[in-house]
Amino acid sequence: MLDKSFQPLKSLKTVLHLRWLAPFLTIPVLFVASMFIEAWLQESGMIAYIPVGKRSVFSLWRIVMLTGMVGTPLATIFLSEAWETGRKTGIHLTGYFFSTVITVLILVATAMILGSMGILIPLGGSAGVISQMLFARCLLAAVWVVATATLCSSITNGPGGAALALGLFSLALLPGLTGSAMSWWFIAPLGDMVTKVTSPGINWNVSFVVAVHSIVYFAAGFLVLKKATQLK
């Protein structure tokens, strides 16, 4: 049973602050900019043309990954500050860890879901498409983002942790988008999650690997924090 330091609602009040929410407002701008960049890359022949039937799927992934790009370093900074606060106050680590992580996960997942709904609704996505594409994929991507932020924030704090987290996110996403994904043993295949979409369903092999990486990151982050902060 978790101790009294497990207070996700209290942590949620902390994260619902303009400082942490404002960066997510840049996602629509990044979405439009990415569309122009993609069109230019397609016209130049650097990437393949996206068939009309798959555009809604890739639009969803665009929002999810842009949210991840913003959320990964942001979550790392928030978590590193939270761990420092916990160390100074001597709070019990287990409950504090889970409540803080759950809080950040709620924020990132909500941002992904709201952004995705904003894309799917104009495209006329059905309830089945929304349930399969939106919730499952957004939640899995959000879990990986927060797991990565947890690990990086436990290794180093501030801008250093944010840069490390953004670097891991880039390694997981960008090589796979170009068809040269790195070994799944080394990094989670976020790029393959995007490029291997063949239907509104889920690629279970890729999803399983991403889930395993997330679990490992959470566990490693917790162990590093426990060792570094000397908290129980």
Side-chain angles (χ1 to χ4, degrees), residues 46-133:
M46 297 180 66
I47 62 174
Y49 180 77
I50 298 176
V52 174
K54 291 186 178 181
R55 287 181 183 174
S56 60
V57 178
F58 282 104
S59 293
L60 167 67
W61 275 121
R62 194 194 313 273
I63 284 291
V64 170
M65 293 307 166
L66 286 174
T67 306
M69 184 180 70
V70 173
T72 304
L74 187 68
T76 304
I77 294 174
F78 177 83
L79 289 173
S80 64
E81 292 184 4
W83 308 147
E84 181 64 19
T85 300
R87 185 187 65 81
K88 290 180 179 179
T89 57
I91 198 168
H92 195 282
L93 178 61
T94 302
Y96 188 68
F97 176 86
F98 281 102
S99 62
T100 306
V101 165
I102 289 173
T103 298
V104 178
L105 179 58
I106 291 173
L107 175 63
V108 175
T110 300
M112 287 183 176
I113 290 172
L114 291 178
S116 300
M117 289 181 66
I119 292 298
L120 288 176
I121 292 175
L123 292 174
S126 65
V129 171
I130 291 176
S131 63
Q132 292 181 51
M133 295 172 58

Side-chain angles (χ1 to χ4, degrees), residues 3-74:
D3 56 277
K4 293 182 180 179
S5 59
F6 180 72
Q7 299 178 351
L9 291 179
K10 183 177 179 180
S11 299
L12 191 58
K13 291 181 181 179
T14 303
V15 78
L16 292 179
H17 188 277
L18 183 61
R19 177 190 177 191
W20 305 112
L21 297 180
F24 289 104
L25 298 178
T26 63
I27 294 174
V29 178
L30 294 174
F31 179 80
V32 174
S34 69
M35 292 181 66
F36 282 105
I37 294 174
E38 180 183 76
W40 176 77
L41 291 174
Q42 289 177 352
E43 291 177 358
S44 62
M46 297 180 66
I47 62 174
Y49 180 77
I50 298 176
V52 174
K54 291 186 178 181
R55 287 181 183 174
S56 60
V57 178
F58 282 104
S59 293
L60 167 67
W61 275 121
R62 194 194 313 273
I63 284 291
V64 170
M65 293 307 166
L66 286 174
T67 306
M69 184 180 70
V70 173
T72 304
L74 187 68

Side-chain angles (χ1 to χ4, degrees), residues 122-155:
L123 292 174
S126 65
V129 171
I130 291 176
S131 63
Q132 292 181 51
M133 295 172 58
L134 194 153
F135 290 103
R137 293 177 179 178
C138 287
L139 287 176
L140 180 58
V143 167
W144 186 88
V145 164
V146 177
T148 302
T150 300
L151 176 61
C152 294
S153 64
S154 68
I155 296 174

